[in-house]
């Protein structure tokens, strides 16, 4: 993080003058720094090189060690999850997210959901926006059957033949055009 | 002292010496420089122009030219549309739709107050304080479908967003965090493992103080009275019944707010948190206590 | 031989790759063995432990994997710094053997921080609010003043337009009048001469000058007469008023 910040200040560093160091908060907040207080900002960067030795420190502070403190719940709240939390079933989802249904596992094909419990249907745009391809990934089972069904579904819906590409090994089907919403609707209707 | 004697001496000299005339004046040394004549051993032959090259031939390259390689003054491109971008604060957006999605998928615990640390912990939002990102900007995408009672603290919110959250019985606050505090909030685990004491949060800079002290934006430094008045105003403007917070069972949770110098909920500045031993070290030294309470 | 080593391999594999590895599994192994306090037995145990550890990790890495501090003795200048020791305390707790006093800033650090904040944040919140409010008020005032200025000027706009037009008309009228006068004089002189004479000729010019003078005299006379008439009229008016008053 610090390196990114420093590389972005490359030119500023070039013209920084005698100290050659960029001051963190002051640059953010536009405050002026007196020349004699430059020594303060030199230590703002936490490198091992700028950190003093433990031998030199004479301060011995009185402190209180609180084991199993009552505020520990606040600390635990800040720590990251160990795994993605499971979704508790609710009556309705105001965001419009539709969960997986049990009946989906009975079909000859299966559309696996992503880690974040989302459908794996994407729109790839290339050639300066001229080429749009709807890609359904993570297909298990009979992919050719699924391909036929989807083609029929899209043909009925859009009154035209829509070309598709089936990649058995990589487990995806690509449709030529932007039919992501239609495919998502179909997937939801099947319970995936 | 010395200069006085000098002046007196010089005045005495002036009085004693004869009158100044052309005969007793002369210029300072170095006034005359003998010009080089372009003939003879010293001025002739190449006439001070050296041998060959652009010095003799007077066909200099333009200033800045580096004999073909990309010159320094052309290496760094400039696009004026981003002039001064590094002086401006940026708030990467997070839509209400995304927040609702996080709540639906159980990634955001709405039984506790939500701040930027919890949003980052949920895993679907990221921001980079070193790139001038100063926090979360809650946008109004999905404002109609939002239905969750939360106590949320962001860095920027528009009026519609505030109205949407308050309509559902929630509380929204806008608070300022300086970049150092943002680094801490982004990765609290790494901060605790560094073994440092929790620092104080800094006050907003002068150009942000208006935003964070106005009740209209639900600033954390604003007057609570004005905020409650503004809640009413918004309810009237957007046409919903203002829910009574006092009657709410989770009233305490909704009212929980951070001190302007506090970075994490429930943890005061000056404490050292140790994850391995699961203990908190609280300083007792007067100086330290005073410093962290200032 | 292979089959004999395999279960041990598996166990050590698990020991070295658990994320939150502690010394618990190692203790498990020793549970069944009776603890012998004699030096020989201890030495033997240490040797067995060494042989068990086939991870080929360095001592430091092995300790880190088992949640212990990597280096007890400082091996690098960085190990003597406050930053490193704070990290050791943060990661390994009290077992790291670090005095937690270093986790807090020293007096010098506190002073420096205070100085920095005094320079970086020179204004208090109230001051900042006041200056911001002041700025807004000034802006508003400026806008208002400009508006008022423009409003007053706007009111006079029609009148200015009229004045300007009158001025222009007057100027053109003057120019026209002068031109006409000149033309008339020229005509008169031409008529006087009878034959076609170049206007730029000397005689013509002399005649023109004479005629101009005469014209001026006549105009002056006319003005004087007009003034006299005005005076007479005024006197008569006054007489009339006096007569009225006296009659009353």
């Amino acid at each position: 993080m610090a390196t990114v910040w420093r590389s972005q200040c490359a030119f500023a560093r070039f013209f920084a003058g005698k100290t050659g160091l960029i001051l963190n908060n002051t640059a953010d907040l536009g405050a002026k720094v007196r020349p004699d207080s430059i020594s303060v900002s030199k230590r703002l960067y936490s490198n091992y090189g700028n950190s003093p030795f433990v031998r030199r420190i004479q301060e011995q502070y009185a402190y209180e060690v609180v084991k199993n403190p009552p505020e520990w719940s606040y600390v635990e709240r800040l720590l990251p999850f160990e795994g993605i939390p499971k979704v508790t079933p609710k009556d309705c989802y105001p965001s419009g997210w539709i969960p997986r249904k049990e009946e989906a596992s009975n079909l000859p094909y299966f559309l696996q959901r992503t880690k974040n419990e989302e459908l794996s249907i994407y729109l790839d745009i290339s050639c300066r926006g001229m080429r749009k391809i709807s890609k359904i990934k993570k297909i298990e089972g009979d992919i050719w059957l699924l391909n036929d069904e989807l083609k029929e579904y899209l043909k009925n819906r859009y009154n035209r033949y829509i070309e598709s590409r089936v990649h058995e090994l990589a487990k995806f089907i690509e449709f030529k055009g932007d039919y992501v919403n239609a495919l998502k609707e179909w997937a939801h209707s099947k319970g995936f | 002292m010395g200069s006085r004697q000098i002046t007196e001496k010089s005045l005495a000299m002036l009085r004693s010496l004869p009158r100044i005339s052309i005969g007793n004046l002369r210029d300072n040394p170095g006034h005359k420089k003998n010009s080089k004549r372009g003939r003879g051993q010293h001025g002739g032959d190449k006439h001070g122009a050296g041998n060959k090259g652009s010095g003799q031939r007077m066909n200099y390259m333009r200033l800045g030219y580096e004999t073909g390689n990309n010159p320094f003054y052309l290496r760094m491109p400039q696009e004026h549309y981003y002039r001064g971008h590094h002086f401006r604060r940026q708030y990467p957006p997070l839509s209400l739709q995304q927040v609702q999605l996080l709540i639906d998928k159980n990634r955001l615990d709405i039984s506790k107050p939500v701040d930027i640390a919890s949003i980052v912990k949920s895993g679907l939002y990221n921001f980079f304080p070193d790139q001038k990102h100063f926090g979360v900007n809650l946008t109004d995408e999905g404002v109609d479908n939002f239905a969750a009672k939360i106590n949320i603290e962001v860095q920027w919110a528009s009026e519609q967003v505030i109205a949407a959250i308050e309509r559902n019985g929630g509380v929204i606050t806008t608070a300022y965090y300086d970049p150092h505090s943002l680094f801490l909030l982004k990765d609290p685990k790494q901060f605790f493992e560094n073994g440092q004491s929790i620092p104080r949060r800094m006050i907003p800079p002068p150009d942000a103080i208006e935003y964070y002290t106005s009740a209209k934006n639900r600033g954390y430094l604003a007057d609570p009275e004005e905020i409650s008045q503004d809640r009413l105003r918004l309810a009237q403007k957007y046409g919903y019944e203002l829910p009574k917070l006092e009657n709410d069972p989770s009233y305490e949770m909704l009212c929980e707010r951070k001190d302007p110098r506090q970075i994490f909920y429930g943890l005061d500045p000056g404490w050292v948190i140790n994850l391995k031993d699961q203990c908190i070290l609280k300083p007792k030294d007067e100086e330290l206590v005073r410093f962290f309470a200032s | 031989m292979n089959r004999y080593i395999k279960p041990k391999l598996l166990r050590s594999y698990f020991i070295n790759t658990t994320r939150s590895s502690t010394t618990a599994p190692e203790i498990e192994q020793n549970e069944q063995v009776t603890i012998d306090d004699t030096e020989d037995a201890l030495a033997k145990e240490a040797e067995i432990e060494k042989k068990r550890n086939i991870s080929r990790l360095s001592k430091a890495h092995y300790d880190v994997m088992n949640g212990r501090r990597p280096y007890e003795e400082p091996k690098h200048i960085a190990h003597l710094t406050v930053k490193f020791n704070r990290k050791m305390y943060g990661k390994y707790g009290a077992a790291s053997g670090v005095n937690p006093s270093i986790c807090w800033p020293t007096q010098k650090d506190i002073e420096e921080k205070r100085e920095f904040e005094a320079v970086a944040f020179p204004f208090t919140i109230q001051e900042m609010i006041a200056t911001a409010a002041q700025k807004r008020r000034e802006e508003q005032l400026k806008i208002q003043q400009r508006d008022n200025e423009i409003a007053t000027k706007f009111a006079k706009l029609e009148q200015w337009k009229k004045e300007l037009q009158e001025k222009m008309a007057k100027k053109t009228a003057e120019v026209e009048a002068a031109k006409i006068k000149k033309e008339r004089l020229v005509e008169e002189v031409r008529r006087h001469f009878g034959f076609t004479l170049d206007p730029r000729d000397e005689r013509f010019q002399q005649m023109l000058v004479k005629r101009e003078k005469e014209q001026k005299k006549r105009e002056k006379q006319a003005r004087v007469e007009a003034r006299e008439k005005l005076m007479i009229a005024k006197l008569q008016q006054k007489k009339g008023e006096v007569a009225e008053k006296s009659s009353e």
Side-chain angles (χ1 to χ4, degrees), chain A residues 151-174:
Chain A
K151 270 194 162 167
E152 222 190 287
Y153 169 74
L154 288 174
K155 183 156 182 191
N156 291 335
R157 187 159 164 165
Y158 291 100
N159 296 329
R160 66 165 77 89
Y161 173 73
I162 290 161
E163 189 58 85
S164 76
R165 170 192 171 204
V166 174
H167 197 304
E168 261 189 85
L169 185 61
K171 303 193 208 174
F172 69 76
I173 298 177
E174 279 181 349

PDB file of all heavy atoms in Angstrom, chain A residues 151-174:
ATOM      1  N   LYS A 151     -31.393 -23.281 -26.250  1.00  0.00           N
ATOM      2  CA  LYS A 151     -31.582 -22.746 -27.610  1.00  0.00           C
ATOM      3  C   LYS A 151     -33.065 -22.629 -27.929  1.00  0.00           C
ATOM      4  O   LYS A 151     -33.527 -21.623 -28.464  1.00  0.00           O
ATOM      5  CB  LYS A 151     -30.920 -23.669 -28.623  1.00  0.00           C
ATOM      6  CG  LYS A 151     -29.492 -23.330 -28.904  1.00  0.00           C
ATOM      7  CD  LYS A 151     -29.033 -24.062 -30.143  1.00  0.00           C
ATOM      8  CE  LYS A 151     -27.790 -23.435 -30.703  1.00  0.00           C
ATOM      9  NZ  LYS A 151     -27.174 -24.298 -31.692  1.00  0.00           N
ATOM     10  N   GLU A 152     -33.809 -23.705 -27.546  1.00  0.00           N
ATOM     11  CA  GLU A 152     -35.250 -23.671 -27.815  1.00  0.00           C
ATOM     12  C   GLU A 152     -35.913 -22.545 -27.032  1.00  0.00           C
ATOM     13  O   GLU A 152     -36.741 -21.811 -27.560  1.00  0.00           O
ATOM     14  CB  GLU A 152     -35.845 -25.011 -27.408  1.00  0.00           C
ATOM     15  CG  GLU A 152     -36.859 -25.521 -28.391  1.00  0.00           C
ATOM     16  CD  GLU A 152     -37.578 -26.708 -27.821  1.00  0.00           C
ATOM     17  OE1 GLU A 152     -36.947 -27.765 -27.762  1.00  0.00           O
ATOM     18  OE2 GLU A 152     -38.739 -26.517 -27.422  1.00  0.00           O
ATOM     19  N   TYR A 153     -35.513 -22.449 -25.780  1.00  0.00           N
ATOM     20  CA  TYR A 153     -36.127 -21.420 -24.930  1.00  0.00           C
ATOM     21  C   TYR A 153     -35.894 -20.025 -25.506  1.00  0.00           C
ATOM     22  O   TYR A 153     -36.808 -19.212 -25.626  1.00  0.00           O
ATOM     23  CB  TYR A 153     -35.540 -21.525 -23.521  1.00  0.00           C
ATOM     24  CG  TYR A 153     -35.865 -20.377 -22.611  1.00  0.00           C
ATOM     25  CD1 TYR A 153     -37.137 -20.233 -22.061  1.00  0.00           C
ATOM     26  CD2 TYR A 153     -34.906 -19.428 -22.300  1.00  0.00           C
ATOM     27  CE1 TYR A 153     -37.440 -19.177 -21.235  1.00  0.00           C
ATOM     28  CE2 TYR A 153     -35.195 -18.370 -21.464  1.00  0.00           C
ATOM     29  CZ  TYR A 153     -36.453 -18.245 -20.934  1.00  0.00           C
ATOM     30  OH  TYR A 153     -36.747 -17.187 -20.108  1.00  0.00           O
ATOM     31  N   LEU A 154     -34.654 -19.788 -25.905  1.00  0.00           N
ATOM     32  CA  LEU A 154     -34.331 -18.458 -26.442  1.00  0.00           C
ATOM     33  C   LEU A 154     -35.004 -18.226 -27.778  1.00  0.00           C
ATOM     34  O   LEU A 154     -35.437 -17.110 -28.091  1.00  0.00           O
ATOM     35  CB  LEU A 154     -32.815 -18.317 -26.576  1.00  0.00           C
ATOM     36  CG  LEU A 154     -32.039 -18.166 -25.262  1.00  0.00           C
ATOM     37  CD1 LEU A 154     -30.556 -18.191 -25.520  1.00  0.00           C
ATOM     38  CD2 LEU A 154     -32.425 -16.912 -24.523  1.00  0.00           C
ATOM     39  N   LYS A 155     -35.125 -19.294 -28.562  1.00  0.00           N
ATOM     40  CA  LYS A 155     -35.776 -19.132 -29.867  1.00  0.00           C
ATOM     41  C   LYS A 155     -37.235 -18.760 -29.679  1.00  0.00           C
ATOM     42  O   LYS A 155     -37.762 -17.880 -30.370  1.00  0.00           O
ATOM     43  CB  LYS A 155     -35.675 -20.460 -30.619  1.00  0.00           C
ATOM     44  CG  LYS A 155     -36.262 -20.359 -31.990  1.00  0.00           C
ATOM     45  CD  LYS A 155     -35.716 -21.375 -32.929  1.00  0.00           C
ATOM     46  CE  LYS A 155     -36.408 -21.068 -34.259  1.00  0.00           C
ATOM     47  NZ  LYS A 155     -36.216 -22.037 -35.217  1.00  0.00           N
ATOM     48  N   ASN A 156     -37.878 -19.402 -28.719  1.00  0.00           N
ATOM     49  CA  ASN A 156     -39.283 -19.081 -28.477  1.00  0.00           C
ATOM     50  C   ASN A 156     -39.447 -17.668 -27.960  1.00  0.00           C
ATOM     51  O   ASN A 156     -40.404 -16.984 -28.260  1.00  0.00           O
ATOM     52  CB  ASN A 156     -39.882 -20.056 -27.467  1.00  0.00           C
ATOM     53  CG  ASN A 156     -39.998 -21.444 -28.049  1.00  0.00           C
ATOM     54  OD1 ASN A 156     -40.084 -21.605 -29.267  1.00  0.00           O
ATOM     55  ND2 ASN A 156     -39.989 -22.437 -27.192  1.00  0.00           N
ATOM     56  N   ARG A 157     -38.508 -17.303 -27.218  1.00  0.00           N
ATOM     57  CA  ARG A 157     -38.631 -15.981 -26.587  1.00  0.00           C
ATOM     58  C   ARG A 157     -38.308 -14.855 -27.544  1.00  0.00           C
ATOM     59  O   ARG A 157     -38.919 -13.802 -27.530  1.00  0.00           O
ATOM     60  CB  ARG A 157     -37.694 -15.945 -25.390  1.00  0.00           C
ATOM     61  CG  ARG A 157     -37.873 -14.689 -24.591  1.00  0.00           C
ATOM     62  CD  ARG A 157     -37.370 -14.859 -23.198  1.00  0.00           C
ATOM     63  NE  ARG A 157     -37.212 -13.524 -22.620  1.00  0.00           N
ATOM     64  CZ  ARG A 157     -37.065 -13.282 -21.351  1.00  0.00           C
ATOM     65  NH1 ARG A 157     -37.045 -14.292 -20.499  1.00  0.00           N
ATOM     66  NH2 ARG A 157     -36.929 -12.073 -20.912  1.00  0.00           N
ATOM     67  N   TYR A 158     -37.284 -15.030 -28.368  1.00  0.00           N
ATOM     68  CA  TYR A 158     -36.815 -13.925 -29.202  1.00  0.00           C
ATOM     69  C   TYR A 158     -37.123 -14.094 -30.668  1.00  0.00           C
ATOM     70  O   TYR A 158     -36.733 -13.278 -31.481  1.00  0.00           O
ATOM     71  CB  TYR A 158     -35.305 -13.728 -29.012  1.00  0.00           C
ATOM     72  CG  TYR A 158     -34.950 -13.191 -27.644  1.00  0.00           C
ATOM     73  CD1 TYR A 158     -34.487 -14.044 -26.647  1.00  0.00           C
ATOM     74  CD2 TYR A 158     -35.101 -11.846 -27.345  1.00  0.00           C
ATOM     75  CE1 TYR A 158     -34.180 -13.553 -25.386  1.00  0.00           C
ATOM     76  CE2 TYR A 158     -34.795 -11.355 -26.092  1.00  0.00           C
ATOM     77  CZ  TYR A 158     -34.335 -12.217 -25.131  1.00  0.00           C
ATOM     78  OH  TYR A 158     -34.029 -11.734 -23.879  1.00  0.00           O
ATOM     79  N   ASN A 159     -37.816 -15.200 -31.025  1.00  0.00           N
ATOM     80  CA  ASN A 159     -38.230 -15.437 -32.429  1.00  0.00           C
ATOM     81  C   ASN A 159     -37.068 -15.418 -33.389  1.00  0.00           C
ATOM     82  O   ASN A 159     -37.186 -14.949 -34.518  1.00  0.00           O
ATOM     83  CB  ASN A 159     -39.255 -14.369 -32.878  1.00  0.00           C
ATOM     84  CG  ASN A 159     -40.519 -14.461 -32.075  1.00  0.00           C
ATOM     85  OD1 ASN A 159     -40.910 -15.545 -31.637  1.00  0.00           O
ATOM     86  ND2 ASN A 159     -41.168 -13.352 -31.857  1.00  0.00           N
ATOM     87  N   ARG A 160     -35.917 -15.879 -32.936  1.00  0.00           N
ATOM     88  CA  ARG A 160     -34.813 -15.990 -33.895  1.00  0.00           C
ATOM     89  C   ARG A 160     -33.864 -17.057 -33.402  1.00  0.00           C
ATOM     90  O   ARG A 160     -33.832 -17.394 -32.218  1.00  0.00           O
ATOM     91  CB  ARG A 160     -34.100 -14.646 -34.069  1.00  0.00           C
ATOM     92  CG  ARG A 160     -33.372 -14.127 -32.861  1.00  0.00           C
ATOM     93  CD  ARG A 160     -32.427 -13.005 -33.277  1.00  0.00           C
ATOM     94  NE  ARG A 160     -33.120 -11.750 -33.514  1.00  0.00           N
ATOM     95  CZ  ARG A 160     -33.350 -10.845 -32.567  1.00  0.00           C
ATOM     96  NH1 ARG A 160     -32.972 -11.050 -31.322  1.00  0.00           N
ATOM     97  NH2 ARG A 160     -33.959  -9.726 -32.865  1.00  0.00           N
ATOM     98  N   TYR A 161     -33.110 -17.555 -34.362  1.00  0.00           N
ATOM     99  CA  TYR A 161     -32.134 -18.582 -34.001  1.00  0.00           C
ATOM    100  C   TYR A 161     -30.928 -17.893 -33.361  1.00  0.00           C
ATOM    101  O   TYR A 161     -30.411 -16.907 -33.881  1.00  0.00           O
ATOM    102  CB  TYR A 161     -31.711 -19.347 -35.257  1.00  0.00           C
ATOM    103  CG  TYR A 161     -30.577 -20.300 -34.994  1.00  0.00           C
ATOM    104  CD1 TYR A 161     -30.791 -21.477 -34.282  1.00  0.00           C
ATOM    105  CD2 TYR A 161     -29.282 -20.018 -35.427  1.00  0.00           C
ATOM    106  CE1 TYR A 161     -29.767 -22.349 -34.020  1.00  0.00           C
ATOM    107  CE2 TYR A 161     -28.243 -20.887 -35.165  1.00  0.00           C
ATOM    108  CZ  TYR A 161     -28.499 -22.049 -34.467  1.00  0.00           C
ATOM    109  OH  TYR A 161     -27.462 -22.905 -34.197  1.00  0.00           O
ATOM    110  N   ILE A 162     -30.488 -18.428 -32.230  1.00  0.00           N
ATOM    111  CA  ILE A 162     -29.353 -17.804 -31.539  1.00  0.00           C
ATOM    112  C   ILE A 162     -28.233 -18.821 -31.486  1.00  0.00           C
ATOM    113  O   ILE A 162     -28.390 -19.935 -30.981  1.00  0.00           O
ATOM    114  CB  ILE A 162     -29.780 -17.361 -30.124  1.00  0.00           C
ATOM    115  CG1 ILE A 162     -30.747 -16.183 -30.252  1.00  0.00           C
ATOM    116  CG2 ILE A 162     -28.585 -16.940 -29.303  1.00  0.00           C
ATOM    117  CD1 ILE A 162     -31.565 -15.953 -29.042  1.00  0.00           C
ATOM    118  N   GLU A 163     -27.095 -18.435 -32.018  1.00  0.00           N
ATOM    119  CA  GLU A 163     -25.950 -19.332 -32.105  1.00  0.00           C
ATOM    120  C   GLU A 163     -25.347 -19.533 -30.735  1.00  0.00           C
ATOM    121  O   GLU A 163     -25.327 -18.618 -29.906  1.00  0.00           O
ATOM    122  CB  GLU A 163     -24.918 -18.714 -33.056  1.00  0.00           C
ATOM    123  CG  GLU A 163     -23.775 -19.643 -33.402  1.00  0.00           C
ATOM    124  CD  GLU A 163     -24.260 -20.935 -34.043  1.00  0.00           C
ATOM    125  OE1 GLU A 163     -24.455 -20.946 -35.274  1.00  0.00           O
ATOM    126  OE2 GLU A 163     -24.435 -21.938 -33.319  1.00  0.00           O
ATOM    127  N   SER A 164     -24.854 -20.735 -30.517  1.00  0.00           N
ATOM    128  CA  SER A 164     -24.230 -21.000 -29.216  1.00  0.00           C
ATOM    129  C   SER A 164     -22.955 -21.783 -29.413  1.00  0.00           C
ATOM    130  O   SER A 164     -22.708 -22.365 -30.473  1.00  0.00           O
ATOM    131  CB  SER A 164     -25.171 -21.804 -28.319  1.00  0.00           C
ATOM    132  OG  SER A 164     -25.188 -23.149 -28.744  1.00  0.00           O
ATOM    133  N   ARG A 165     -22.150 -21.774 -28.399  1.00  0.00           N
ATOM    134  CA  ARG A 165     -20.887 -22.523 -28.421  1.00  0.00           C
ATOM    135  C   ARG A 165     -20.810 -23.322 -27.138  1.00  0.00           C
ATOM    136  O   ARG A 165     -20.944 -22.753 -26.054  1.00  0.00           O
ATOM    137  CB  ARG A 165     -19.740 -21.525 -28.520  1.00  0.00           C
ATOM    138  CG  ARG A 165     -18.393 -22.166 -28.317  1.00  0.00           C
ATOM    139  CD  ARG A 165     -17.350 -21.092 -28.134  1.00  0.00           C
ATOM    140  NE  ARG A 165     -16.094 -21.695 -27.729  1.00  0.00           N
ATOM    141  CZ  ARG A 165     -15.148 -21.083 -27.067  1.00  0.00           C
ATOM    142  NH1 ARG A 165     -15.303 -19.828 -26.719  1.00  0.00           N
ATOM    143  NH2 ARG A 165     -14.042 -21.699 -26.743  1.00  0.00           N
ATOM    144  N   VAL A 166     -20.607 -24.637 -27.274  1.00  0.00           N
ATOM    145  CA  VAL A 166     -20.561 -25.522 -26.105  1.00  0.00           C
ATOM    146  C   VAL A 166     -19.133 -25.953 -25.874  1.00  0.00           C
ATOM    147  O   VAL A 166     -18.479 -26.444 -26.797  1.00  0.00           O
ATOM    148  CB  VAL A 166     -21.452 -26.755 -26.325  1.00  0.00           C
ATOM    149  CG1 VAL A 166     -21.287 -27.723 -25.188  1.00  0.00           C
ATOM    150  CG2 VAL A 166     -22.895 -26.347 -26.483  1.00  0.00           C
ATOM    151  N   HIS A 167     -18.651 -25.770 -24.664  1.00  0.00           N
ATOM    152  CA  HIS A 167     -17.287 -26.200 -24.313  1.00  0.00           C
ATOM    153  C   HIS A 167     -17.434 -27.206 -23.194  1.00  0.00           C
ATOM    154  O   HIS A 167     -17.601 -26.841 -22.035  1.00  0.00           O
ATOM    155  CB  HIS A 167     -16.477 -24.973 -23.873  1.00  0.00           C
ATOM    156  CG  HIS A 167     -14.999 -25.219 -23.896  1.00  0.00           C
ATOM    157  ND1 HIS A 167     -14.401 -26.237 -23.207  1.00  0.00           N
ATOM    158  CD2 HIS A 167     -14.019 -24.546 -24.537  1.00  0.00           C
ATOM    159  CE1 HIS A 167     -13.106 -26.184 -23.419  1.00  0.00           C
ATOM    160  NE2 HIS A 167     -12.843 -25.178 -24.224  1.00  0.00           N
ATOM    161  N   GLU A 168     -17.394 -28.481 -23.576  1.00  0.00           N
ATOM    162  CA  GLU A 168     -17.659 -29.530 -22.567  1.00  0.00           C
ATOM    163  C   GLU A 168     -16.619 -29.548 -21.478  1.00  0.00           C
ATOM    164  O   GLU A 168     -16.931 -29.682 -20.309  1.00  0.00           O
ATOM    165  CB  GLU A 168     -17.641 -30.894 -23.265  1.00  0.00           C
ATOM    166  CG  GLU A 168     -19.011 -31.424 -23.600  1.00  0.00           C
ATOM    167  CD  GLU A 168     -18.908 -32.853 -24.064  1.00  0.00           C
ATOM    168  OE1 GLU A 168     -18.891 -33.740 -23.203  1.00  0.00           O
ATOM    169  OE2 GLU A 168     -18.849 -33.062 -25.286  1.00  0.00           O
ATOM    170  N   LEU A 169     -15.356 -29.448 -21.885  1.00  0.00           N
ATOM    171  CA  LEU A 169     -14.278 -29.593 -20.908  1.00  0.00           C
ATOM    172  C   LEU A 169     -14.282 -28.446 -19.908  1.00  0.00           C
ATOM    173  O   LEU A 169     -14.108 -28.648 -18.703  1.00  0.00           O
ATOM    174  CB  LEU A 169     -12.934 -29.648 -21.645  1.00  0.00           C
ATOM    175  CG  LEU A 169     -11.731 -29.914 -20.751  1.00  0.00           C
ATOM    176  CD1 LEU A 169     -11.873 -31.257 -20.072  1.00  0.00           C
ATOM    177  CD2 LEU A 169     -10.453 -29.839 -21.538  1.00  0.00           C
ATOM    178  N   ALA A 170     -14.457 -27.222 -20.417  1.00  0.00           N
ATOM    179  CA  ALA A 170     -14.433 -26.059 -19.529  1.00  0.00           C
ATOM    180  C   ALA A 170     -15.776 -25.808 -18.881  1.00  0.00           C
ATOM    181  O   ALA A 170     -15.911 -24.892 -18.088  1.00  0.00           O
ATOM    182  CB  ALA A 170     -14.004 -24.823 -20.302  1.00  0.00           C
ATOM    183  N   LYS A 171     -16.785 -26.602 -19.254  1.00  0.00           N
ATOM    184  CA  LYS A 171     -18.115 -26.560 -18.617  1.00  0.00           C
ATOM    185  C   LYS A 171     -18.811 -25.221 -18.786  1.00  0.00           C
ATOM    186  O   LYS A 171     -19.334 -24.651 -17.832  1.00  0.00           O
ATOM    187  CB  LYS A 171     -18.008 -26.864 -17.122  1.00  0.00           C
ATOM    188  CG  LYS A 171     -17.370 -28.182 -16.810  1.00  0.00           C
ATOM    189  CD  LYS A 171     -17.607 -28.500 -15.363  1.00  0.00           C
ATOM    190  CE  LYS A 171     -16.504 -29.372 -14.832  1.00  0.00           C
ATOM    191  NZ  LYS A 171     -16.616 -29.579 -13.414  1.00  0.00           N
ATOM    192  N   PHE A 172     -18.772 -24.690 -20.023  1.00  0.00           N
ATOM    193  CA  PHE A 172     -19.558 -23.479 -20.230  1.00  0.00           C
ATOM    194  C   PHE A 172     -20.243 -23.515 -21.580  1.00  0.00           C
ATOM    195  O   PHE A 172     -19.866 -24.274 -22.468  1.00  0.00           O
ATOM    196  CB  PHE A 172     -18.720 -22.202 -20.068  1.00  0.00           C
ATOM    197  CG  PHE A 172     -17.693 -21.948 -21.136  1.00  0.00           C
ATOM    198  CD1 PHE A 172     -18.073 -21.482 -22.390  1.00  0.00           C
ATOM    199  CD2 PHE A 172     -16.354 -22.134 -20.876  1.00  0.00           C
ATOM    200  CE1 PHE A 172     -17.128 -21.234 -23.373  1.00  0.00           C
ATOM    201  CE2 PHE A 172     -15.410 -21.869 -21.847  1.00  0.00           C
ATOM    202  CZ  PHE A 172     -15.789 -21.434 -23.097  1.00  0.00           C
ATOM    203  N   ILE A 173     -21.281 -22.680 -21.697  1.00  0.00           N
ATOM    204  CA  ILE A 173     -21.974 -22.462 -22.968  1.00  0.00           C
ATOM    205  C   ILE A 173     -21.988 -20.968 -23.215  1.00  0.00           C
ATOM    206  O   ILE A 173     -22.292 -20.186 -22.310  1.00  0.00           O
ATOM    207  CB  ILE A 173     -23.426 -22.977 -22.927  1.00  0.00           C
ATOM    208  CG1 ILE A 173     -23.437 -24.489 -22.693  1.00  0.00           C
ATOM    209  CG2 ILE A 173     -24.146 -22.643 -24.215  1.00  0.00           C
ATOM    210  CD1 ILE A 173     -24.821 -25.065 -22.569  1.00  0.00           C
ATOM    211  N   GLU A 174     -21.676 -20.586 -24.458  1.00  0.00           N
ATOM    212  CA  GLU A 174     -21.704 -19.176 -24.813  1.00  0.00           C
ATOM    213  C   GLU A 174     -22.782 -18.941 -25.847  1.00  0.00           C
ATOM    214  O   GLU A 174     -22.871 -19.672 -26.828  1.00  0.00           O
ATOM    215  CB  GLU A 174     -20.352 -18.757 -25.402  1.00  0.00           C
ATOM    216  CG  GLU A 174     -19.311 -18.467 -24.354  1.00  0.00           C
ATOM    217  CD  GLU A 174     -17.998 -18.022 -24.953  1.00  0.00           C
ATOM    218  OE1 GLU A 174     -17.831 -18.128 -26.182  1.00  0.00           O
ATOM    219  OE2 GLU A 174     -17.131 -17.579 -24.183  1.00  0.00           O
TER     220      GLU A 174
END
